[in-house]
Amino acid sequence: MSDLFWPGDHRAGDLMSDEALLRALVEVENAWLTALVGNGVAPAEAAADLRPLVGADDLTTIAVDAEADGNPVSGLVSLLRSRTGDTAARWLHRGLTSQDTLDTALMMCVRDVLRRVEDQVRTQVRALQALIEAHRDAPLLTRTLTQPALPGTAGRKFGVWLTAILDAAETLAALPPIPVQIGGAAGTLAAPVELTGSVQAARALVTATAGTVGLAASPPWHTTRATTTRIGDALVTCCDAWGHLAGDLAIAGRPEIGEFTEGGGGGSSTMPHKNNPVLTVLLRRAALVAPGLAATLHAASAASIDERSDGAWHAEWSTLRTLSRHTVTAAAQAAQLLTGLQFHPDRAAANLVSAQGILTEQETMSRLAGHAASPDYLGATDILVDDVVTRAHRYLEGAHS
């Protein structure tokens, strides 16, 4: 995919694209039909592989037809029924509702997004570990409210960024298994129970379908939308972390400060001397936009009514797609930025030396305590860096276990 409105969107590739959603929709219908046959609900002659029957050439037709019913599932089911045998057509989609198919397909797409983001986060963690190892004790001025504060080290700065990224990683890891959403027309499994003759058999269809599409079996969550808001919040937490480090770099990378530069940078269409911190800028963009998208998911969740919402459910789809693609793009940009980031210890040391009054607090504390000032004023910096490095090792070891 390409998107002139969002430079870098190509990094998300096919994730959450129209093609990816269409494939997932067909996979859900195929898995349900397979479960019906496999569990003896539908006759053996209803078996069919639906996946080759619909492709990218059908996207426009399905998208246009979606307006008539307010979602793309009805048109897709009609198309599939027209392209398969009579028995398969009669059993196709029976027991499902459009929300089941669409919610479950979206969760399949989101699962792939989360895997991609987690891969990029691991790259970021390794890059920050390398920066700490290379520059741990290098002097670096700390700043509060944009002004010189106290002496610090590059290792601690990298450790703060690493903490934010590990917090985001743990938020992703804490997400419950991504679930299917199958409940029938009103979220009660009434049709599957009627088809199978028992609640247990109906639930077995849900479990079989979940296993086929690679999601977790789950009770219906038609209008209880914490699944989507949790995912949105986890993606925003990632963007928050990247926005934090990008904000620091936007300041410290200014030529008059010169403590960091991006590996590469971008040019200007009119000023040849420019070396713009493009990745930094694009990460800040993502961090600014992401919270509003998650807020839309929460607003839609709060507006859920009855057994299928009149607009709130519909508002989730493109919002989740946009937030997901923006986060995948930012994840790749953050990994590239940190992998190629250049730290300039000479400039950092010079900025620290030129700062005025940064030892005043130490002088006050030492006089109050009645002893000579310590040779440095770094407090628990070493231990704090050790702690986050240990945490990073545990995270990476857990990711490979």
Side-chain angles (χ1 to χ4, degrees):
M1 290 181 65
S2 61
D3 188 345
L4 292 177
F5 291 95
W6 198 262
D9 177 76
H10 63 279
R11 292 176 183 260
D14 190 48
L15 294 172
M16 295 296 279
S17 65
D18 286 355
E19 291 86 351
L21 179 59
L22 178 59
R23 285 196 303 271
L25 291 168
V26 176
E27 287 279 1
V28 175
E29 294 291 346
N30 194 71
W32 183 255
L33 182 59
T34 300
L36 289 173
V37 174
N39 285 265
V41 181
E45 52 268 30
D49 186 357
L50 306 176
R51 292 169 294 184
L53 302 182
V54 175
D57 291 344
D58 299 303
L59 275 171
T60 299
T61 298
I62 294 170
V64 171
D65 290 348
E67 186 179 15
D69 295 305
N71 72 77
V73 177
S74 297
L76 170 63
V77 170
S78 295
L79 197 59
L80 288 170
R81 284 178 174 155
S82 72
R83 295 178 180 179
T84 191
D86 290 344
T87 305
R90 188 162 59 250
W91 283 94
L92 171 63
H93 192 69
R94 299 306 183 190
L96 294 178
T97 192
S98 56
Q99 184 171 1
D100 295 332
T101 302
L102 186 50
D103 276 349
T104 299
L106 282 170
M107 290 302 101
M108 293 169 66
C109 293
V110 164
R111 172 200 59 203
D112 297 340
V113 164
L114 294 174
R115 288 173 178 169
R116 180 76 66 83
V117 172
E118 288 169 342
D119 286 345
Q120 295 293 346
V121 166
R122 284 191 285 273
T123 298
Q124 296 161 26
V125 169
R126 287 190 287 267
L128 283 166
Q129 284 180 314
L131 286 166
I132 290 173
E133 184 175 348
H135 303 291
R136 175 175 178 137
D137 297 322
L140 181 69
L141 178 66
T142 68
R143 298 176 177 89
T144 61
L145 303 179
T146 75
Q147 303 300 301
L150 299 175
T153 67
R156 175 60 179 155
K157 173 64 75 176
F158 297 136
V160 170
W161 297 345
L162 181 55
T163 297
I165 289 172
L166 289 171
D167 288 345
E170 291 176 0
T171 301
L172 291 171
L175 286 171
I178 305 301
V180 295
Q181 198 298 108
I182 296 175
T188 62
L189 289 171
V193 170
E194 189 70 19
L195 287 172
T196 62
S198 75
V199 172
Q200 293 77 14
R203 293 184 125 182
L205 291 177
V206 175
T207 299
T209 302
T212 300
V213 300
L215 298 177
S218 171
W221 42 278
H222 272 53
T223 50
T224 53
R225 309 302 288 180
T227 295
T228 55
T229 57
R230 273 195 300 258
I231 291 166
D233 291 345
L235 296 176
V236 172
T237 300
C238 293
C239 291
D240 290 347
W242 304 324
H244 174 188
L245 70 90
D248 281 352
L249 289 172
I251 294 173
R254 292 178 178 181
E256 60 269 28
I257 297 176
E259 294 168 354
F260 297 95
T261 53
E262 285 188 11
S268 163
S269 64
T270 185
M271 294 176 285
H273 67 283
K274 295 288 291 296
N275 184 33
N276 294 323
V278 173
L279 294 173
T280 296
V281 169
L282 296 181
L283 287 176
R284 284 172 61 79
R285 165 199 67 175
L288 289 168
V289 170
L293 294 167
T296 298
L297 294 177
H298 280 280
S301 177
S304 292
I305 61 168
D306 299 328
E307 280 63 57
R308 192 175 314 166
S309 296
D310 55 347
W313 175 54
H314 306 73
E316 290 179 356
W317 316 336
S318 65
T319 303
L320 190 57
R321 192 249 310 259
T322 301
L323 177 57
S324 295
R325 288 189 64 84
H326 286 0
T327 305
V328 170
T329 297
Q333 290 166 339
Q336 180 182 340
L337 172 60
L338 289 172
T339 301
L341 186 65
Q342 299 172 11
F343 171 62
H344 304 295
D346 292 345
R347 289 295 300 272
N351 291 337
L352 181 61
V353 169
S354 65
Q356 302 295 312
I358 64 172
L359 295 178
T360 304
E361 183 189 68
Q362 181 187 25
E363 294 165 359
T364 300
M365 296 299 129
S366 62
R367 278 199 306 271
L368 183 62
H371 57 62
S374 303
D376 62 44
Y377 198 53
L378 296 175
T381 292
D382 273 348
I383 292 175
L384 294 172
V385 174
D386 284 340
D387 287 347
V388 72
V389 168
T390 299
R391 184 182 170 195
H393 282 304
R394 282 199 305 265
Y395 166 71
L396 292 174
E397 288 169 1
H400 292 295
S401 63

